[in-house]
Amino acid sequence: ATTLLETAWGVMFGEQTQEVRLRFLPSAARRLRETVWHSDEIVEPLPDGGIRYRVQVAHPMEMKWWIRSWGPQVIVEAPAGLRREMAEETQQLLDLYRAAETTST
């Protein structure tokens, strides 16, 4: 069972994997390094003090909750589908806040 979950971020596993590549801002670097988030992660320091985080997982969309938890301290670089979904969700959230601001003032 442990072998099956090696490609999983959470509980979804599979034989095919995709690389998820994230760029963390310097403000998140220390916290990111405090924990091993996945057994196959690659953490690369960047010249600006940030971090490029890479991991191979079977279902990248399963990482969305974790990526969201970092707020504006992370940018999805790849895969393109995950990047697009995160950008669309961010835009929807911004639209909700703007609409709420207009109706509450």
Side-chain angles (χ1 to χ4, degrees):
T2 304
T3 305
L4 281 177
L5 295 177
E6 285 178 356
T7 63
W9 181 260
V11 296
M12 297 173 68
F13 61 90
E15 292 181 22
Q16 298 279 351
T17 62
Q18 280 187 291
E19 181 182 69
V20 174
R21 194 172 63 244
L22 307 171
R23 187 173 73 235
F24 285 87
L25 300 181
S27 57
R30 182 173 160 217
R31 174 65 187 109
L32 186 71
R33 285 191 189 108
E34 289 176 349
T35 303
V36 174
W37 301 96
H38 192 275
S39 61
D40 292 331
E41 69 186 29
I42 297 170
V43 178
E44 304 168 0
L46 296 172
D48 68 355
I51 290 176
R52 177 160 291 115
Y53 181 90
R54 297 184 305 142
V55 65
Q56 294 283 335
V57 294
H59 297 278
M61 297 304 174
E62 191 177 27
M63 293 180 69
K64 286 170 55 172
W65 66 270
W66 183 72
I67 295 167
R68 277 190 217 109
S69 75
W70 292 94
Q73 297 180 1
V74 64
I75 298 166
V76 176
E77 294 182 333
L82 179 59
R83 180 182 172 90
R84 186 173 41 258
E85 280 200 32
M86 295 302 295
E88 288 171 1
E89 285 184 15
T90 301
Q91 184 61 55
Q92 290 170 0
L93 187 59
L94 178 61
D95 292 346
L96 284 172
Y97 272 91
R98 285 188 174 151
E101 191 174 275
T102 303
T103 59
S104 67
T105 56

